[in-house]
Amino acid sequence: MNETIQLLHNHRSIRKFTSEKLTNDEVRTIVKAGQRASTSSNVMAYSVIGVTDEHLKKELRAVSGQKYVENNGYLFVICADLSRIAKLNKEKENIRKNLESTEQFIVATVDAALVTQNMVIAAESMGLGACFLGSLRNDINRVDELLQLPEYVIPLFGLAVGHPDHKPDIKPRLPFEAVFHENTYDKDKKEFVQAYDEILSDYYQKRDCNNRDDNWTNQMIKKYSVLTRMDVSAYVQKKNFNKH
Amino acid sequence: MNETIQLLHNHRSIRKFTSEKLTNDEVRTIVKAGQRASTSSNVMAYSVIGVTDEHLKKELRAVSGQKYVENNGYLFVICADLSRIAKLNKEKENIRKNLESTEQFIVATVDAALVTQNMVIAAESMGLGACFLGSLRNDINRVDELLQLPEYVIPLFGLAVGHPDHKPDIKPRLPFEAVFHENTYDKDKKEFVQAYDEILSDYYQKRDCNNRDDNWTNQMIKKYSVLTRMDVSAYVQKKNFNKH
């Protein structure tokens, strides 16, 4: 296992940071490494917003409910952004139709995710830790308003980065066999999910802090039984994404 | 710049591979490194399909129109996959409603993209090259049929991996200033896009092969003027994603 792959295997989400802030150079290094990720047809359908204003961070924390949205070394919000294309000539019917398609919603979402994963890896290679903040979608309209996003720009998630102040255990993932298929999709993977339930249950019982009795199946049923973020669809369409 | 960040900056999409195939160990190493990426609430809403059957590769090449879909060291197709959750209890109304929401379409698309970016980085760290294949969405229904995907599973893109048989120049990206905003979205970034037009035009004129006279603005207007993949929306909804 080479050093880069070791780094990938060493990933854990960091949710507790020291008070040390990132330098401007560090922020720039992270974003520029992000920009090197692949992008669909060189569209680069994303923007990165660095949130440094303390009042704004407090407001975003209120949306998320997570204190590490406020307490971190740096806070990014990553957006799907088709506005650069829209500006070129959105009056042209085909351009507008493309921009507002589900296809382009996928393009922009994937572009933004690839950039962010590179940012995470760059940060971790610098000894920093990071945590994705899907929780900003708890009130996506509010985030839109706080960051003053124009049409064709939507916030997908945040990324809190900073100097780690804890070292959580590495959470086991579904076994390779559960997620990997050869040639055609194999519907019969139940045994691997069951195996994972045992692995995760064991992990929760043994881990250093916050140990409990739980497994993946129970967690997922619990999570998906509560209707969540049902306003995202209308918001996204209001911003001219994913309309047809 | 540390070694990992150098690796990220050294990325170029590889579209020409030697005939050397990846070993099973290499495939496993790449996918397992992918699995270490962050995932929303530990949902792991993705599947990876390894395509080794030559007939199937030929058919997928026909969808894509790119010969490196067939000629590579290994071909992956990465899917958004909520079927594992659906299997737990899709009869429960709230679970089904969540699964079919735009919110969960974002979750699954982002999860799949993060895994794949880790796979690319792992492959590149092993001296391999890779190229994303959004072109599989040229006929997403056909890819679905070829890979026999069940409901709640959709193919997002392919990833061709292999031993590089060319070394393309590194394509310049939009300047940092064009994609980075502080605190609120800055709509006035035109000068940076214009600067990029000049940078890219210069790159196309000077690069080793396939040099031409073009810039970003022209490319984007040309690309977005042709209606593309308008069937993706109906397909996605047919598979129970992104319905409301």
Side-chain angles (χ1 to χ4, degrees):
Chain A
M1 205 185 277
N2 68 44
E3 270 187 36
T4 303
I5 295 179
Q6 274 178 41
L7 182 81
L8 301 179
H9 276 270
N10 203 32
H11 167 74
R12 61 263 282 168
S13 292
I14 297 298
R15 295 181 170 85
K16 210 175 153 199
F17 302 97
T18 71
S19 59
E20 190 178 346
K21 297 294 168 194
L22 265 63
T23 65
N24 286 341
D25 270 1
E26 285 170 330
V27 170
R28 216 179 158 91
T29 298
I30 289 169
V31 175
K32 289 185 85 137
Q35 291 187 265
R36 293 307 321 158
S38 291
T39 159
S40 176
S41 305
N42 206 28
V43 171
M44 299 174 273
Y46 66 90
S47 274
V48 178
I49 302 184
V51 185
T52 53
D53 181 90
E54 290 302 326
H55 170 74
L56 211 46
K57 287 179 81 170
K58 236 183 255 300
E59 295 291 335
L60 292 169
R61 172 189 175 163
V63 170
S64 154
Q66 310 287 5
K67 62 183 172 191
Y68 43 92
V69 173
E70 192 178 348
N71 305 333
N72 50 51
Y74 201 85
L75 176 66
F76 297 100
V77 178
I78 290 87
C79 300
D81 187 345
L82 287 166
S83 75
R84 272 176 231 114
I85 311 293
K87 270 188 189 161
L88 300 179
N89 191 352
K90 73 173 177 182
E91 283 67 40
K92 201 163 168 178
E93 198 191 342
N94 278 2
I95 292 185
R96 209 181 53 245
K97 263 193 162 167
N98 273 319
L99 290 175
E100 298 177 356
S101 68
T102 296
E103 161 64 14
Q104 286 298 314
F105 182 49
I106 295 176
V107 163
T109 304
V110 171
D111 265 18
L114 301 183
V115 165
T116 314
Q117 187 57 14
N118 260 20
M119 288 170 64
V120 169
I121 291 160
E124 289 178 347
S125 78
M126 295 157 71
L128 300 164
C131 185
F132 277 83
L133 307 162
S135 55
L136 291 186
R137 296 196 304 277
N138 286 348
D139 189 349
I140 198 165
N141 284 285
R142 177 69 180 142
V143 175
D144 180 277
E145 182 182 64
L146 288 167
L147 304 180
Q148 301 174 30
L149 305 182
E151 57 172 3
Y152 299 104
V153 183
I154 54 174
L156 288 174
F157 39 75
L159 186 73
V161 178
H163 295 266
D165 199 24
H166 69 154
K167 194 176 180 182
D169 293 335
I170 292 180
K171 193 185 266 189
R173 297 288 192 236
L174 280 166
F176 169 85
E177 293 78 8
V179 302
F180 185 79
H181 308 253
E182 196 168 345
N183 291 315
T184 52
Y185 192 94
D186 178 2
K187 289 186 214 176
D188 195 18
K189 296 275 197 186
K190 202 173 165 185
E191 63 183 303
F192 303 112
V193 174
Q194 283 170 346
Y196 182 61
D197 269 342
E198 284 179 33
I199 292 165
L200 199 63
S201 166
D202 200 49
Y203 163 80
Y204 281 129
Q205 277 169 43
K206 285 181 184 159
R207 73 175 177 181
D208 289 347
C209 61
N210 194 18
N211 61 356
R212 50 184 159 140
D213 192 8
D214 208 346
N215 66 31
W216 190 76
T217 295
N218 290 344
Q219 283 184 329
M220 293 301 120
I221 290 180
K222 200 171 152 193
K223 172 182 161 57
Y224 280 88
S225 295
V226 183
L227 287 182
T228 309
R229 304 174 190 164
M230 287 292 142
D231 57 341
V232 166
S233 177
Y235 163 76
V236 159
Q237 293 189 30
K238 188 179 76 184
K239 300 303 295 279
N240 294 330
F241 280 84
N242 197 32
K243 287 169 83 168
H244 53 78
Chain B
M1 206 185 277
N2 68 44
E3 271 186 37
T4 302
I5 295 178
Q6 272 177 42
L7 182 82
L8 301 179
H9 276 270
N10 203 34
H11 167 74
R12 61 262 281 168
S13 292
I14 297 298
R15 296 182 169 84
K16 211 176 152 200
F17 302 97
T18 72
S19 59
E20 190 178 347
K21 298 292 169 195
L22 265 64
T23 65
N24 285 342
D25 270 1
E26 285 170 329
V27 171
R28 218 181 155 90
T29 298
I30 290 168
V31 175
K32 289 184 84 137
Q35 291 188 263
R36 292 309 319 159
S38 292
T39 161
S40 176
S41 305
N42 206 30
V43 170
M44 299 174 274
Y46 67 91
S47 273
V48 178
I49 302 186
V51 185
T52 53
D53 181 90
E54 290 302 327
H55 170 73
L56 210 47
K57 285 179 83 170
K58 237 184 256 301
E59 296 289 337
L60 291 170
R61 172 190 173 160
V63 170
S64 154
Q66 310 286 6
K67 63 183 171 191
Y68 44 90
V69 173
E70 193 179 346
N71 303 333
N72 50 52
Y74 201 85
L75 177 65
F76 297 100
V77 178
I78 291 86
C79 300
D81 187 346
L82 287 166
S83 75
R84 270 176 231 114
I85 311 294
K87 270 186 188 159
L88 299 180
N89 191 350
K90 72 173 175 180
E91 283 67 42
K92 201 163 168 180
E93 197 191 341
N94 277 3
I95 292 185
R96 210 179 53 246
K97 265 194 161 167
N98 274 319
L99 290 176
E100 299 177 357
S101 67
T102 296
E103 160 65 14
Q104 286 298 314
F105 182 49
I106 295 175
V107 162
T109 303
V110 171
D111 266 17
L114 301 182
V115 165
T116 313
Q117 187 57 12
N118 260 20
M119 289 171 64
V120 169
I121 290 160
E124 290 178 347
S125 78
M126 295 156 71
L128 300 165
C131 185
F132 277 84
L133 307 162
S135 55
L136 291 185
R137 295 196 305 275
N138 287 347
D139 190 350
I140 198 165
N141 283 283
R142 177 70 180 141
V143 175
D144 180 276
E145 183 182 63
L146 287 167
L147 304 179
Q148 300 175 32
L149 305 181
E151 58 173 5
Y152 298 105
V153 183
I154 54 173
L156 289 174
F157 40 75
L159 185 74
V161 179
H163 295 267
D165 199 24
H166 69 156
K167 194 177 177 180
D169 293 335
I170 291 179
K171 192 185 268 188
R173 298 287 194 237
L174 280 166
F176 169 85
E177 293 77 9
V179 303
F180 184 80
H181 309 252
E182 195 168 346
N183 292 316
T184 52
Y185 193 94
D186 178 1
K187 288 186 213 174
D188 195 17
K189 295 273 196 185
K190 202 174 166 186
E191 62 183 305
F192 302 113
V193 173
Q194 282 169 346
Y196 182 60
D197 269 342
E198 285 179 35
I199 292 165
L200 199 62
S201 166
D202 200 50
Y203 163 81
Y204 281 129
Q205 277 168 42
K206 286 185 183 156
R207 73 174 175 180
D208 289 346
C209 62
N210 194 19
N211 60 356
R212 50 182 158 141
D213 191 10
D214 209 348
N215 67 31
W216 190 76
T217 295
N218 291 344
Q219 283 184 331
M220 292 301 120
I221 289 179
K222 201 171 151 193
K223 174 184 159 57
Y224 279 90
S225 294
V226 183
L227 286 182
T228 309
R229 303 176 190 162
M230 287 293 141
D231 56 340
V232 166
S233 177
Y235 163 76
V236 159
Q237 292 188 30
K238 188 178 78 184
K239 299 305 294 282
N240 294 330
F241 280 85
N242 196 33
K243 288 169 80 168
H244 53 78

